[in-house]
Amino acid sequence: MSIAEIFDTMDYGHAPESRDLAVKWLSDHREKFDLFIDGAWTKPMSKKWFESINPATAQKLSKIATANEQDVDKAVNAARNAQKNWQAIGGHARARHLYALARAIQRNARLLAVLESLDNGKPVRETRDIDIPLVARHFYHHAGWAQLQDQEFSNFEPMGVIGQIIPWNFPLLMLAWKIAPAIAAGNTVVLKPAEYTSLTALCFAEICKDAGLPDGVINIITGDGQTGEYLVTHSDVNKIAFTGSTEVGRRIRKATAGSGKHLTLELGGKSPFIVFDDADLDSAVEGVVDAIWFNQGQVCCAGSRLLLQEGIADKMIAKLRTRMKNLRIGDPLDKSIDMGAIVAPVQVKAIEKLVKIGLKEGAQMWQPDIDMPNKGSFYPPTLFTNVQPAATIAQEEIFGPVIVTMTFRTPDEAVQIANNTRYGLAASVWSENINLALDVAPKLDCGVVWVNSTNQFDAACGFGGNRESGYGREGGYEGMLEVLKPTFQASAEQKRKKPLPKAIKPNSLSTRSSLDRTAKLYIGGKQTRPDSGYSLPVLSASGQKIGEVGHGNRKDIRNAVEAARKGTAWTKANSHGRAQVLYYLAENLDARRQEFAERLQTSTGASSKLSLDEVDASLSRLFSYAAWADKYESAVHSPPMRGVTLAMKEPIGTIGIICPNENPLLGLISLAGPALAMGNRIILIPSEQHPLTATDLYQVFDTSDVPAGAFNIITGYRDELALTLAEHDDVKSVWYFGSKDGSARVETASTGNMKRTWVNNGQDRDWFNPIQGEGREFLRHATQIKNIWIPYGE
């Protein structure tokens, strides 16, 4: 073929990457791997191994050990024994180790890239140019956090032993995301890689040994889901970090409920890819290629829902089909291919099942007529049109190279369709109008938004989702906070259970004739009778009846949540406006200072001085959060790209707050203050023993310009109401400060919509102490970070 003909056809030839280095490494280990525990290769006590298969050829690569419960226990013990010394060597020494790991990864980049492609099936061009450089970047970045830890996280300490479970779609990159911040902060790790793709984790273990990392800091245990379950339920693990399916995430949440384990979950997604009619369509087409056919669509944040403005829909689809005809599928080690193999035959079947459902429900499928390998686990790029927003393939994560297309007319409709999902991981917005893009991005309910780009990642920029895509962030400053705990928690003791004053049973409570003398519920800015028609007696510290409050129930919670949902004026108000209202609250509470102190004295039995001190501390706390309202601000990151990443601190939405019995006014204000300051709407369950302190606040709210629905109060049996809040799908977060058993019930019930929880597990907190009772810890729980990636330049 002549040069002129080559230029005319622009056909790519094959560009195979040599597999020799990876084959030699496997051969050196005799294609069989044990567990990596306490710095040494350790034979599994299960005496079982399973096969690792190359998905592109269906050929065996190696045998890998299966860890049983005793193996997991041994790994956790090794991590526990190593943790104190690892913490004690200090941030600078840990930084040097992380730097050494980063350099070692770069030196072994070719081996790791080829091994990842053989084991996972993804194109070597992706592992070489994206995955491995990002792995090294995470260790470099977190070496810096280790160096700065004493300055930047002076009131925090490592959590201890962290159990980590990673998926098969980005095996080594997910390992780096989890291990780098954990060990930088002084934790030790037990990591379980995915059953399908364990090889690069085992290679990394060898790199750790060669780089001189102390024994026991990183332990790699391999196996199936049962191995992961042993790690999740191990009593000596302080945190579980999981990336995987929402279904498994639910099981982990239930398994860890009440254990006191910190939990971060990065789960499934059904991310929208929104194209407006002023977008550069050719660029958007390439964006779609990167969004859904990168790693064969096996990406949790894949842009699997293509939302097109009606005016350009037909043109965009025509361009996309032309581009799909030129996609090349084949050997992952061929650097000229676009798509490699699906990870395993079972995943191919899962994709095929959902595609059949899409056809059955009336969607139209199109696949290009391109060459497909005749062996291995491959699936062609697939485009669905005529898809309804409620269709199964528009709602369920397919986790394969399948994109579904829908249309919209206006930006508001685009946002509605985009948010019409139970997930909330990522989104991509395409428009040449930056004002439009930055107007839409904050309205999308997800953790990451890419403007005129997609699948951008960096160690400095947190990544994570909302709703059923999980909670917690990995990367950057917020990612470090997920592997640290406040120092004061180490000395917190379990609460002594204080007996409630003897109360009258509900079935013998006052009748409707006495409701007029009962403190009512506060819903939507109005005092409201409880749905039950009953009231509960309130006793003084000496056991004398001093009043009655409404006996709230499930329907009252429902009404309060509906009022909060409508109370968007509070969330839309600017931060200065919210600060003003909090100052008004403090001013009006101060005007009734003596009255509230007397109420506290009667209810709790505290002295006059202590009661006045509690009111004064509450006033100070309101001033603090009025001050924070316009100062807990978003940040701008500068990742290695021509652009910036805006880390927006957003309100979570509707938060259920269950207050402690101790310090009934100060505890209430300490929790409600930060939630309100950040623009959330709240349903508050006051102290069950001392609810009149909360109901006395009605007039303070009414005279302080608190918008209807922003602050709702339901009195009654605290744990019953807490459970209802935790089960409610329109409640985005629940804060519970009560018993250990109550904390466990809230965490278990939260799995319905995978809502965030903040529970105290029955531990004491000194509400008078500013370190424990106010500040950034509270503000962090009252916000979620959305990272908006904004490229610039021509």
Side-chain angles (χ1 to χ4, degrees):
M1 181 181 289
S2 68
I3 293 177
E5 289 173 325
I6 292 173
F7 274 110
D8 285 339
T9 61
M10 291 299 288
D11 283 341
Y12 288 97
H14 295 292
E17 175 68 54
S18 172
R19 66 186 65 203
D20 292 349
L21 197 62
V23 169
K24 181 181 184 304
W25 183 79
L26 291 169
S27 178
D28 288 344
H29 289 271
R30 299 182 181 181
E31 289 85 30
K32 190 174 183 180
F33 293 89
D34 296 329
L35 309 172
F36 186 76
I37 299 175
D38 204 16
W41 295 107
T42 306
K43 292 196 176 301
M45 298 181 73
S46 68
K47 298 181 180 179
K48 293 180 180 179
W49 283 260
F50 60 93
E51 292 185 345
S52 182
I53 304 297
N54 182 338
T57 63
Q59 295 177 344
K60 186 185 80 170
L61 292 169
S62 65
K63 287 187 175 182
I64 295 173
T66 298
N68 64 12
E69 191 169 9
Q70 290 74 31
D71 295 313
V72 173
D73 189 57
K74 186 175 182 180
V76 172
N77 287 338
R80 176 61 65 195
N81 293 333
Q83 195 273 320
K84 289 300 181 185
N85 287 337
W86 178 244
Q87 178 182 352
I89 67 172
H92 174 66
R94 291 196 299 275
R96 292 174 68 92
H97 278 293
L98 268 80
Y99 174 79
L101 287 175
R103 293 289 292 122
I105 287 162
Q106 290 177 318
R107 287 195 300 273
N108 290 278
R110 188 178 181 190
L111 167 62
L112 292 167
V114 174
L115 195 60
E116 194 84 299
S117 291
L118 288 173
D119 203 23
N120 170 274
K122 63 171 62 181
V124 71
R125 182 167 49 87
E126 294 177 7
T127 61
R128 179 197 65 192
D129 297 343
I130 299 173
D131 292 18
I132 307 307
L134 268 175
V135 170
R137 163 73 173 146
H138 272 269
F139 282 97
Y140 277 127
H141 178 80
H142 287 94
W145 280 126
Q147 180 70 31
L148 300 174
Q149 183 174 344
D150 289 344
Q151 298 166 261
E152 294 297 315
F153 303 100
S154 58
N155 292 322
F156 291 85
E157 64 183 17
M159 289 183 172
V161 174
I162 298 182
Q164 302 176 333
I165 302 173
I166 59 174
W168 44 259
N169 56 341
F170 291 91
L172 191 60
L173 182 55
M174 291 296 99
L175 175 151
W177 277 23
K178 287 180 166 50
I179 284 182
I183 65 172
N187 302 284
T188 52
V189 166
V190 179
L191 180 134
K192 193 202 89 66
E195 183 180 3
Y196 293 139
T197 53
S198 301
L199 289 178
T200 49
L202 296 168
C203 187
F204 175 77
E206 193 169 77
I207 288 172
C208 290
K209 187 68 175 175
D210 292 343
L213 194 72
D215 295 345
V217 172
I218 292 175
N219 304 273
I220 308 291
I221 53 170
T222 50
D224 55 14
Q226 184 65 66
T227 302
E229 186 175 339
Y230 293 141
L231 181 59
V232 166
T233 58
H234 197 287
S235 60
D236 202 26
V237 171
N238 301 106
K239 171 184 172 163
I240 294 293
F242 171 77
T243 297
S245 71
T246 298
E247 178 186 355
V248 175
R250 281 189 219 283
R251 295 206 298 267
I252 291 174
R253 169 72 284 179
K254 290 180 179 178
T256 58
S259 67
K261 289 185 176 73
H262 185 75
L263 185 63
T264 51
L265 299 171
E266 198 264 279
L267 308 177
K270 195 70 179 175
S271 299
F273 188 105
I274 306 170
V275 184
F276 288 98
D277 57 11
D278 64 344
D280 179 340
L281 296 190
D282 291 326
S283 294
V285 166
E286 292 306 311
V288 172
V289 173
D290 288 339
I292 190 61
W293 295 307
F294 171 59
N295 198 23
Q296 299 72 251
Q298 299 170 127
V299 184
C300 54
C301 54
S304 55
R305 290 186 295 149
L306 179 58
L307 277 55
L308 303 174
Q309 199 155 17
E310 283 187 351
I312 51 91
D314 291 342
K315 187 177 181 180
M316 177 73 177
I317 289 171
K319 285 178 174 288
L320 191 56
R321 286 178 173 172
T322 300
R323 182 67 176 88
M324 291 171 69
K325 292 176 183 178
N326 291 288
L327 292 174
R328 293 165 63 99
I329 303 177
D331 179 6
L333 290 184
D334 186 342
K335 293 186 286 290
S336 70
I337 62 119
D338 298 294
M339 291 173 55
I342 303 298
V343 73
V346 65
Q347 184 62 22
V348 175
K349 291 180 181 178
I351 296 168
E352 291 172 341
K353 180 181 178 181
L354 283 166
V355 165
K356 289 177 182 177
I357 291 173
L359 290 168
K360 186 177 179 180
E361 292 181 351
Q364 296 175 349
M365 185 185 76
W366 187 85
Q367 294 174 333
D369 183 15
I370 55 179
D371 293 334
M372 292 287 293
N374 54 18
K375 63 178 180 179
S377 300
F378 292 87
Y379 197 85
T382 302
L383 172 68
F384 271 104
T385 54
N386 193 34
V387 179
Q388 300 303 311
T392 301
I393 56 173
Q395 292 294 324
E396 297 299 322
E397 185 177 35
I398 298 174
F399 220 66
V402 181
I403 192 167
V404 302
T405 306
M406 293 166 278
T407 60
F408 64 89
R409 293 188 180 122
T410 66
D412 286 344
E413 187 180 5
V415 171
Q416 288 178 349
I417 297 172
N419 289 340
N420 180 35
T421 173
R422 59 196 174 97
Y423 297 110
L425 189 52
S428 190
V429 179
W430 292 75
S431 171
E432 290 298 283
N433 183 344
I434 192 64
N435 293 323
L436 174 62
L438 292 182
D439 179 57
V440 168
K443 298 175 182 177
L444 298 172
D445 194 351
C446 57
V448 180
V449 178
W450 295 293
V451 174
N452 292 333
S453 58
T454 191
N455 281 336
Q456 299 287 317
F457 308 101
D458 186 63
C461 306
F463 182 86
N466 305 338
R467 298 189 283 177
E468 293 190 35
S469 289
Y471 43 79
R473 295 293 183 263
E474 293 180 314
Y477 181 84
E478 56 264 38
M480 284 295 291
L481 289 171
E482 299 287 0
V483 293
L484 294 163
K485 64 182 180 182
T487 305
F488 73 82
Q489 286 186 359
S491 59
E493 297 177 354
Q494 293 293 316
K495 286 183 181 175
R496 296 184 301 275
K497 291 189 176 180
K498 301 174 184 178
L500 291 170
K502 189 174 181 182
I504 304 171
K505 295 294 183 183
N507 58 6
S508 62
L509 297 178
S510 55
T511 63
R512 288 185 179 272
S513 63
S514 66
L515 282 174
D516 289 342
R517 297 193 300 273
T518 300
K520 300 178 180 66
L521 312 180
Y522 191 73
I523 299 175
K526 298 178 182 179
Q527 297 185 42
T528 306
R529 288 184 172 86
D531 171 70
S532 67
Y534 294 119
S535 59
L536 298 171
V538 181
L539 306 183
S540 69
S542 61
Q544 299 299 309
K545 180 177 175 181
I546 56 174
E548 295 182 349
V549 293
H551 181 193
N553 64 15
R554 180 177 294 271
K555 187 174 180 181
D556 298 312
I557 292 289
R558 184 200 68 184
N559 293 339
V561 173
E562 288 181 358
R565 188 193 307 161
K566 294 175 183 177
T568 55
W570 180 251
T571 301
K572 293 177 180 178
N574 60 53
S575 55
H576 171 70
R578 291 197 299 270
Q580 291 283 93
V581 171
L582 290 170
Y583 282 127
Y584 296 157
L585 277 171
E587 181 182 0
N588 291 321
L589 178 60
D590 186 46
R592 300 172 62 182
R593 175 173 176 266
Q594 189 63 41
E595 176 188 339
F596 274 87
E598 290 173 359
R599 172 69 79 186
L600 288 170
Q601 189 175 1
T602 302
S603 294
T604 67
S607 68
S608 174
K609 181 182 184 304
L610 283 175
S611 297
L612 284 169
D613 286 347
E614 182 167 343
V615 177
D616 290 341
S618 300
L619 292 170
S620 175
R621 203 133 293 170
L622 282 172
F623 263 73
S624 289
Y625 288 115
W628 274 116
D630 59 358
K631 296 174 187 66
Y632 191 64
E633 296 179 306
S634 302
V636 176
H637 301 308
S638 300
M641 60 172 278
R642 284 186 58 79
V644 296
T645 304
L646 175 60
M648 289 187 63
K649 290 173 178 170
E650 299 180 325
I652 289 171
T654 300
I655 299 179
I657 298 178
I658 296 87
C659 296
N661 277 323
E662 66 273 15
N663 304 124
L665 179 62
L666 182 56
L668 183 157
I669 295 297
S670 297
L671 294 169
L676 290 173
M678 295 298 101
N680 299 284
R681 289 92 70 187
I682 64 176
I683 294 94
L684 185 136
I685 313 301
S687 162
E688 185 176 327
Q689 287 178 294
H690 315 296
L692 294 177
T693 304
T695 59
D696 288 346
L697 287 168
Y698 296 163
Q699 291 180 333
V700 177
F701 299 149
D702 291 339
T703 57
S704 304
D705 297 337
V706 178
F711 200 135
N712 305 274
I713 297 177
I714 308 294
T715 54
Y717 291 118
R718 182 175 62 176
D719 283 359
E720 291 178 5
L721 297 173
L723 197 61
T724 302
L725 280 169
E727 291 171 342
H728 201 297
D729 283 346
D730 280 344
V731 175
K732 297 299 181 66
S733 180
V734 173
W735 301 357
Y736 177 93
F737 286 80
S739 68
K740 182 175 175 60
D741 289 343
S743 297
R745 286 191 291 269
V746 164
E747 289 182 326
T748 301
S750 72
T751 58
N753 67 346
M754 296 303 293
K755 62 172 61 68
R756 303 158 187 255
T757 59
W758 183 23
V759 303
N760 69 328
N761 291 301
Q763 290 184 330
D764 280 319
R765 186 176 285 252
D766 182 356
W767 295 103
F768 281 93
N769 185 339
I771 294 175
Q772 299 187 31
E774 70 171 274
R776 291 180 180 273
E777 180 191 8
F778 291 77
L779 295 164
R780 184 162 61 91
H781 284 286
T783 54
Q784 57 194 9
I785 303 293
K786 175 183 288 178
N787 280 281
I788 302 176
W789 292 69
I790 309 168
Y792 52 70
E794 294 295 328

